[in-house]
Amino acid sequence: MFKMVEMFWVKKIFLGVFRKMKNFGNFVKMSGLSESNSLSKSSGLLDSSNSSDSNSLPESSNLPESLAPKLFSAGRLALADSGFAESKILASKPFGVSAGRLALAKSSFLKSSSTESIFAESIFAKSSFAKISPLRFCLIATFCALFALLSFAPLTLHAKSSIISPLPLPTQKILDIDDKQCNESCLKKLYNQGLIFSFLAKFNQTTNDKKLLGYYADALAQLNGAIGREPSDSSHFKLALIIPKQLVGRYSVSVANTILAYLIARGIDFELEVFDCVDESVANLESSYNQVIQKNFDFVIAMLSHQGVQNLISYGNVLYPTYIPTINKERILQNIDEGEIPANLYFGGISYQQQIQLLMPIIKDSSVVEYADDSQIGSYLSELFASYNPKIIRKKAMNNQDASHFNKMLNVEERYLENNVLMLNTAASKTGLILSQLEYAENPPKIFLSTQINFNPVILQLASPKSRENLFVVSSIDATNQSLIEYAMLLNSDLRYDWVSYATSVGTEFGLWMSDRSTKRYFKESIKDRQVEYQNQLYTTKGANFVLVK
């Protein structure tokens, strides 16, 4: 059966090619290329014995440019039949074959050297082309076409596509089969009677009643098998990220990538959803947190400033374990009493207070020059440093222009800097510029000190090893799982130098541990009184690295 089909297609292709050959012969006759024209001797494609015909085509022929050279694929035969019938030579323009394509052209019509070079490289050079049998050429073209068709057939038959299914994941819904209305008082009664399904079916998700929202969260927890919000044995972990994108800018992407990197590295089934609260107003925070409650997440990470945390506390309905990676609890206690902080609120910010305490024994009774900047963190560090009553003899705020042209200030600053301690409460870019220019000072400081803000590779790039020989920086970032660090790097998250990313990973692990107490830990930090406790360590620089001071 296969042989019959194969012979049928061979015959069909052969007849198709022959018909094309015949049609082209008619085209050549109609175009005035047959009978009266033959190859000129100067073409170089035929021997001189075949080119002595008196009807050779002159160089000044008026052949239209539209007929000069045409290309035909290997499956189409471009031979003029009239030339073989009478003069036994091609009556049309000379033929050349290059890279499986037939080129119809005559060197007398095209004067460019490129056309002549194509002919010179032709497989059928000289008169060998004129002697080939049309039938043989037709068979060769047919078999080539069949070979190509059969060669690629398996690729087509065995092709497979991988397309992600557009079907949504299954969801759980509770239908309300009772058409009676149920107000807030009715809902509370249903919940207190233990009628969880009726309560969930009747619950109105637009309600702002904090007690009802709490009931709703607990009802969902019971429905999912986590009665009383006890840790679940399931590896499925649901995490919500609340972030004011308008305020945090680039951190909105960086923090989300950090969480993804950690969860991917753990190889667990998880769900992450980002809630943009736009800003840190009480109304927007309340709206975002209510959405979290309605969707019943296991853990919440909120990227908030000092003011944002205060607004979240005033909201007063923090029902889920909520982690703030950007603020240390010590800063909140400056304005709020311990008893006012919700029991489910945890803090992961580093302690600048503890870091400065680590630097004070180095300063001792030395005179100190302090450079700070006008940023929020710069101002906070300057106030915190002043609370330890160091012997400050010079305090100056540094803007970008001051740091870039610090060499112009050296004449004045050297009088204070000579053999004293320089405390750098400036951003890493400014610190690097200042250090690079202090290298040329005749009377430099004896030592440079800073906190976490200058544990940054930017300094290694801007300042030479010599200019930072006496630089000492405190950092809370500790070594962690190498695979996790590499996953984070793939997602443009830095767990070696970016303390916000590091603190976010610590918080993500804490949330996973609360959901599953058997979770293997990647981080050494512990949590005491709802605050992550970091191990602060002193670093200096060596070459292109920060190295631990032992």
Side-chain angles (χ1 to χ4, degrees):
M1 180 67 181
F2 178 79
K3 290 184 177 180
M4 293 177 62
V5 174
E6 182 181 18
M7 291 303 297
F8 169 77
W9 281 107
V10 169
K11 182 178 178 182
K12 187 174 183 66
I13 294 174
F14 177 82
L15 291 176
V17 173
F18 183 78
R19 187 177 298 110
K20 294 291 184 180
M21 195 176 80
K22 184 176 179 181
N23 291 340
F24 185 79
N26 295 333
F27 166 75
V28 172
K29 290 180 182 180
M30 293 174 63
S31 304
L33 294 177
S34 62
E35 297 184 2
S36 62
N37 299 330
S38 62
L39 294 178
S40 66
K41 184 176 181 179
S42 61
S43 66
L45 293 179
L46 297 178
D47 294 335
S48 58
S49 59
N50 293 331
S51 60
S52 59
D53 194 288
S54 60
N55 293 325
S56 61
L57 192 64
E59 292 184 359
S60 60
S61 172
N62 294 323
L63 181 67
E65 293 183 1
S66 61
L67 298 178
K70 296 185 177 295
L71 300 177
F72 299 85
S73 64
R76 298 179 65 184
L77 188 60
L79 294 175
D81 55 352
S82 59
F84 285 101
E86 296 187 20
S87 61
K88 302 301 181 183
I89 58 176
L90 296 177
S92 66
K93 295 181 293 182
F95 282 75
V97 178
S98 177
R101 300 174 69 89
L102 296 176
L104 175 61
K106 179 179 171 68
S107 59
S108 59
F109 290 116
L110 298 177
K111 299 299 183 181
S112 66
S113 58
S114 59
T115 307
E116 294 176 357
S117 64
I118 293 175
F119 288 0
E121 295 175 3
S122 172
I123 300 174
F124 294 96
K126 305 297 181 181
S127 60
S128 57
F129 182 84
K131 296 177 181 179
I132 191 170
S133 168
L135 180 58
R136 182 181 300 174
F137 185 88
C138 181
L139 290 175
I140 291 173
T142 301
F143 287 126
C144 286
L146 283 174
F147 178 80
L149 180 64
L150 294 177
S151 297
F152 287 101
L155 295 176
T156 303
L157 292 175
H158 296 282
K160 182 178 71 173
S161 63
S162 298
I163 302 175
I164 298 176
S165 173
L167 298 177
L169 294 175
T171 57
Q172 179 177 256
K173 290 186 178 181
I174 300 175
L175 299 179
D176 185 7
I177 58 175
D178 186 0
D179 58 356
K180 293 182 180 179
Q181 298 295 323
C182 189
N183 57 21
E184 293 182 351
S185 176
C186 169
L187 287 172
K188 292 176 182 178
K189 184 177 180 180
L190 289 174
Y191 177 83
N192 292 327
Q193 291 177 348
L195 303 176
I196 301 301
F197 289 96
S198 297
F199 171 81
L200 292 173
K202 296 286 186 181
F203 183 78
N204 183 4
Q205 295 188 356
T206 61
T207 183
N208 292 321
D209 188 291
K210 295 180 180 180
K211 196 167 187 178
L212 275 179
L213 289 171
Y215 287 166
Y216 181 73
D218 287 338
L220 286 177
Q222 293 182 47
L223 185 65
N224 293 329
I227 299 177
R229 300 210 54 77
E230 291 294 326
S232 173
D233 294 332
S234 172
S235 61
H236 185 77
F237 180 54
K238 296 179 64 177
L239 188 148
L241 173 61
I242 298 177
I243 191 163
K245 292 183 179 179
Q246 183 175 310
L247 299 180
V248 300
R250 64 181 181 88
Y251 272 113
S252 61
V253 176
S254 176
V255 171
N257 286 346
T258 299
I259 297 172
L260 282 174
Y262 181 87
L263 296 175
I264 292 172
R266 298 312 300 247
I268 63 171
D269 182 19
F270 67 89
E271 179 181 343
L272 171 64
E273 187 169 349
V274 179
F275 296 86
D276 181 14
C277 61
V278 184
D279 57 29
E280 296 180 325
S281 65
V282 176
N284 285 343
L285 284 174
E286 181 176 347
S287 175
S288 295
Y289 208 94
N290 286 345
Q291 294 179 54
V292 171
I293 293 174
Q294 292 167 11
K295 295 188 177 182
N296 192 37
F297 282 87
D298 298 316
F299 193 70
V300 182
I301 293 179
M303 292 289 297
L304 301 175
S305 67
H306 185 203
Q307 184 60 50
V309 174
Q310 290 182 327
N311 291 342
L312 181 63
I313 292 174
S314 65
Y315 162 59
N317 201 32
V318 183
L319 300 177
Y320 294 89
T322 302
Y323 177 80
I324 313 294
T326 47
I327 299 296
N328 190 283
K329 185 181 175 183
E330 66 188 23
R331 295 194 63 184
I332 299 300
L333 293 178
Q334 294 175 358
N335 306 100
I336 298 176
D337 293 334
E338 177 79 34
E340 297 180 39
I341 300 177
N344 282 329
L345 198 58
Y346 299 85
F347 301 89
I350 62 175
S351 173
Y352 286 106
Q353 182 174 331
Q354 293 178 7
Q355 290 190 353
I356 292 178
Q357 287 175 358
L358 188 61
L359 294 175
M360 292 308 296
I362 302 175
I363 298 174
K364 295 182 180 179
D365 296 327
S366 300
S367 296
V368 179
V369 175
E370 181 193 356
Y371 291 158
D373 55 33
D374 56 357
S375 65
Q376 184 179 5
I377 185 62
S379 301
Y380 171 70
L381 287 175
S382 184
E383 293 176 6
L384 189 62
F385 182 59
S387 67
Y388 288 89
N389 298 315
K391 187 180 177 181
I392 300 176
I393 61 173
R394 171 74 165 173
K395 183 175 181 179
K396 183 172 179 59
M398 288 285 181
N399 55 35
N400 292 329
Q401 187 175 0
D402 292 336
S404 300
H405 302 91
F406 183 74
N407 59 327
K408 297 180 179 180
M409 304 165 58
L410 277 177
N411 292 334
V412 175
E413 297 301 316
E414 278 188 87
R415 289 181 292 177
Y416 304 98
L417 293 171
E418 182 179 2
N419 205 32
N420 289 326
V421 174
L422 175 59
M423 183 67 181
L424 292 160
N425 288 326
T426 50
S429 58
K430 295 177 183 177
T431 299
L433 291 172
I434 292 171
L435 291 176
S436 66
Q437 295 169 79
L438 271 174
E439 181 180 353
Y440 304 101
E442 295 180 1
N443 302 301
K446 65 178 180 181
I447 197 170
F448 308 94
L449 299 177
S450 189
T451 56
Q452 188 74 50
I453 58 170
N454 282 308
F455 188 74
N456 193 312
V458 170
I459 292 177
L460 304 176
Q461 298 167 2
L462 293 177
S464 67
K466 182 181 178 181
S467 64
R468 44 183 166 82
E469 282 179 350
N470 297 318
L471 173 66
F472 296 90
V473 178
V474 182
S475 175
S476 300
I477 298 176
D478 205 346
T480 185
N481 182 275
Q482 187 61 34
S483 296
L484 174 58
I485 292 175
E486 292 174 358
Y487 272 112
M489 289 178 64
L490 290 173
L491 294 175
N492 295 321
S493 179
D494 190 353
L495 297 184
R496 294 178 299 175
Y497 294 108
D498 189 339
W499 73 264
V500 175
S501 295
Y502 185 86
T504 301
S505 292
V506 172
T508 305
E509 180 169 277
F510 173 63
L512 183 61
W513 177 83
M514 292 188 73
S515 178
D516 183 2
R517 298 300 172 94
S518 64
T519 300
K520 181 181 177 181
R521 297 183 62 188
Y522 284 169
F523 296 94
K524 303 174 185 177
E525 287 76 10
S526 60
I527 293 183
K528 182 180 180 181
D529 295 330
R530 291 172 291 167
Q531 168 63 52
V532 176
E533 290 193 322
Y534 296 98
Q535 184 65 41
N536 293 301
Q537 300 179 95
L538 191 65
Y539 289 85
T540 188
T541 66
K542 185 176 180 180
N545 298 287
F546 282 96
V547 294
L548 187 64
V549 177
K550 297 181 180 179

